[in-house]
Amino acid sequence: MTKQEFWFQKILQLLHDPPGKPFALWPKTGGHRKLAQDIFAALLEKKYWINPMPDIVATSADRPMLTIPKGQKGGIGTKHFHKDPRITHPLGDASIRLRLPLGVEKVERNTIDELALLQQDTAKQFAPADIGDADELRRTFFCLWRRFREEIIRQDPGNLWEFMPADSRCPDHSIWEHNRVASALAFVKKGLADPYQKDPDYPWLLSFGLRPVQEFLKQARKGQDLWTGSMLIAELSWAAIEKVISHYGPDCIVYPDLRGNPRADIWLYNSERDALPNTDSTIHLSTRAAVIPHTFIAVLPRGSDKSDYLLPIEKLAEDACEAVKKKWQELADDVRGWMEGI
């Protein structure tokens, strides 16, 4: 898989289920797959076939849904979302009703058409100048990951788009989360059977952590020391995260969620400024909170030395460790320089 193919597939997977999918299931509209193709045409100038495997893997990972036997009506969790848009808790029977889109009191066929145009026009704002340019596709992906949701909500305010479910039959997680997992798995081409585990496109989990955190923090003698220690750990952890997301994208970080994270936005401000919702604001330039934990988990391809773009996961882990050491040395040099200047 080349760099251009990688970022192109990530864009397709990030939009494989349109944000308004629950409303695209209206009879005789073509369904959510047609809407996805229309969005691709608006963003990428034509329609594209989507590899179904990332969606299948993502669905099996985040959708604990009990379906009813074929031919029977009703069932656990079945919702007519366009009539009664509700989200539920996965472990209880409580629910929250969301407002209908575009301020309507009842969803009609013309409402569905307007929603489709809203999603297509919004996606078109982020169209790459050249779909053959890997760096341009990377920029487009970052913009879609960070801004697509905000742009839709800006045009149709309220809580509907923020919590749009991935599946109206099991409305306990948002479509944004499902698409994020699918895009993180965009490199998957085959199933997850044991024989494929060593293949470059097989998904693995990387757990990275700084140790020993408690021993480090307990050296503090006052509150300012504790705050400084927490900020140091956050910056060191971010140095490792940056190595991963620069190559594979921020969606591959399972924990912590980086979208909207102040430290991640600082990085975007300096590297992919177009991806931020408001580039004129200085709110993204600093944060006084240690918003990055000492550990992170990423879903990554197994990789191979023979692959064009999919790095061996061991190599990426080693690079992350080296990035932490380099950042620590930079911080130590800054402190030494400051003290020598006193």
Side-chain angles (χ1 to χ4, degrees):
M1 178 176 279
T2 65
K3 182 178 180 180
Q4 188 274 344
E5 291 171 338
F6 178 80
W7 289 104
F8 191 80
Q9 285 300 316
K10 286 182 76 71
I11 292 173
L12 295 184
Q13 295 300 331
L14 192 66
L15 299 173
H16 81 277
D17 274 350
K21 175 185 175 180
F23 293 98
L25 303 177
W26 191 276
K28 299 181 180 180
T29 60
H32 67 284
R33 290 185 177 84
K34 178 182 181 301
L35 176 55
Q37 291 295 332
D38 291 339
I39 292 176
F40 294 155
L43 177 68
L44 305 169
E45 299 182 350
K46 70 176 186 178
K47 301 177 180 181
Y48 290 90
W49 174 83
I50 307 173
N51 174 20
M53 192 54 64
D55 179 35
I56 293 172
V57 177
T59 298
S60 64
D62 61 20
R63 200 167 304 174
M65 184 176 64
L66 299 177
T67 57
I68 58 175
K70 185 177 181 180
Q72 295 187 20
K73 297 181 179 180
I76 298 176
T78 300
K79 302 288 183 183
H80 298 286
F81 200 79
H82 65 280
K83 296 180 181 179
D84 185 24
R86 291 182 179 275
I87 56 175
T88 61
H89 192 283
L91 301 179
D93 58 1
S95 65
I96 298 176
R97 192 180 192 279
L98 307 178
R99 68 163 185 83
L100 291 172
L102 304 175
V104 301
E105 296 183 359
K106 182 181 180 181
V107 175
E108 304 286 356
R109 171 57 192 267
N110 66 307
T111 310
I112 305 301
D113 295 337
E114 290 181 37
L115 287 176
L117 286 175
L118 170 64
Q119 295 166 79
Q120 293 170 51
D121 292 343
T122 303
K124 193 174 182 178
Q125 298 178 33
F126 309 111
D130 179 5
I131 63 173
D133 186 333
D135 291 330
E136 184 66 14
L137 290 175
R138 182 179 184 273
R139 182 200 66 81
T140 296
F141 174 81
F142 273 82
C143 289
L144 289 168
W145 170 78
R146 184 63 181 87
R147 289 180 54 192
F148 190 36
R149 189 188 316 186
E150 272 87 351
E151 287 299 315
I152 290 181
I153 294 174
R154 182 181 62 81
Q155 297 174 71
D156 186 22
N159 62 3
L160 174 67
W161 293 101
E162 186 74 25
F163 302 109
M164 192 77 77
D167 193 316
S168 58
R169 297 165 296 178
C170 184
D172 60 6
H173 63 292
S174 79
I175 200 164
W176 307 103
E177 294 306 310
H178 170 67
N179 285 348
R180 179 174 75 105
V181 176
S183 68
L185 295 166
F187 55 85
V188 178
K189 295 181 179 180
K190 300 184 288 292
L192 301 186
D194 289 343
Y196 303 137
Q197 287 189 9
K198 298 296 183 180
D199 289 359
D201 62 347
Y202 194 92
W204 284 52
L205 283 178
L206 170 67
S207 177
F208 188 99
L210 301 177
R211 302 288 192 275
V213 172
Q214 294 304 322
E215 288 296 317
F216 180 76
L217 292 177
K218 79 177 186 179
Q219 305 304 316
R221 293 295 178 263
K222 51 187 178 180
Q224 185 179 18
D225 297 340
L226 185 61
W227 177 86
T228 302
S230 297
M231 290 295 289
L232 283 172
I233 290 172
E235 280 302 295
L236 294 174
S237 184
W238 177 259
I241 289 177
E242 186 177 344
K243 272 294 179 183
V244 176
I245 66 177
S246 295
H247 194 76
Y248 287 126
D251 53 324
C252 73
I253 304 298
V254 178
Y255 170 83
D257 185 0
L258 296 182
R259 188 183 169 278
N261 183 291
R263 185 61 184 86
D265 279 355
I266 292 172
W267 180 73
L268 286 175
Y269 189 90
N270 293 314
S271 59
E272 295 288 346
R273 193 168 301 185
D274 289 345
L276 289 174
N278 182 8
T279 56
D280 293 328
S281 174
T282 58
I283 193 172
H284 305 292
L285 291 177
S286 64
T287 177
R288 294 182 179 274
V291 291
I292 300 296
H294 70 280
T295 185
F296 69 87
I297 298 174
V299 57
L300 304 171
R302 177 66 183 83
S304 168
D305 288 325
K306 298 179 180 180
S307 174
D308 288 338
Y309 194 71
L310 305 183
L311 296 175
I313 195 169
E314 300 92 343
K315 174 66 167 58
L316 191 61
E318 291 172 1
D319 290 346
C321 290
E322 288 302 315
V324 172
K325 295 177 183 177
K326 181 179 179 181
K327 172 58 69 173
W328 177 259
Q329 189 61 55
E330 290 176 358
L331 293 170
D333 291 343
D334 287 344
V335 173
R336 176 177 294 152
W338 177 82
M339 294 187 69
E340 290 176 347
I342 296 178

